[in-house]
Amino acid sequence: MHNIENLLTPRLKMVASLVPESDSVCDIGTDHAYVALYLVKKGVSKRVIAADIKKGPLMQATKNICAYGESLRVETRLSNGFENISKGEANTA
């Protein structure tokens, strides 16, 4: 198992560094869920909704979330942007 921080590209590390500590974050366009996993593993957020518009990336995200043992703190959701995210579900996006 890789350290999740080592899987982040420089661009994704920069994005993750901009997220303030939050109870819940919505990661729109999650792809592989590396940012979502990083945020919960580093204690930046207690919970993350990892959303993507395509089923394929969400399937990979789900595999990664399970591999890192974070299925209780990272939820995947098929969504076009914020379409399937309810108001108040996340403090940060």
Side-chain angles (χ1 to χ4, degrees):
M1 182 65 51
H2 296 282
N3 178 339
I4 191 65
E5 192 169 350
N6 294 336
L7 297 176
L8 295 179
T9 64
R11 180 181 66 83
L12 292 179
K13 283 181 186 177
M14 189 273 305
V15 168
S17 75
L18 297 173
V19 179
E21 286 191 21
S22 302
D23 285 334
S24 184
V25 170
C26 189
D27 178 13
I28 301 293
T30 196
D31 195 25
H32 34 57
Y34 292 161
V35 171
L37 287 164
Y38 175 87
L39 294 175
V40 295
K41 289 289 192 188
K42 294 295 182 178
V44 176
S45 184
K46 295 176 184 172
R47 176 177 178 266
V48 176
I49 299 168
D52 206 286
I53 194 170
K54 296 182 182 178
K55 291 181 183 179
L58 278 183
M59 289 173 58
Q60 184 59 52
T62 300
K63 288 179 186 177
N64 291 336
I65 292 163
C66 290
Y68 281 89
E70 292 297 348
S71 59
L72 294 178
R73 297 194 300 167
V74 182
E75 171 191 349
T76 59
R77 201 171 293 175
L78 186 65
S79 185
N80 182 3
F82 290 97
E83 184 175 78
N84 294 320
I85 311 299
S86 297
K87 185 176 180 177
E89 272 194 288
N91 306 101
T92 305

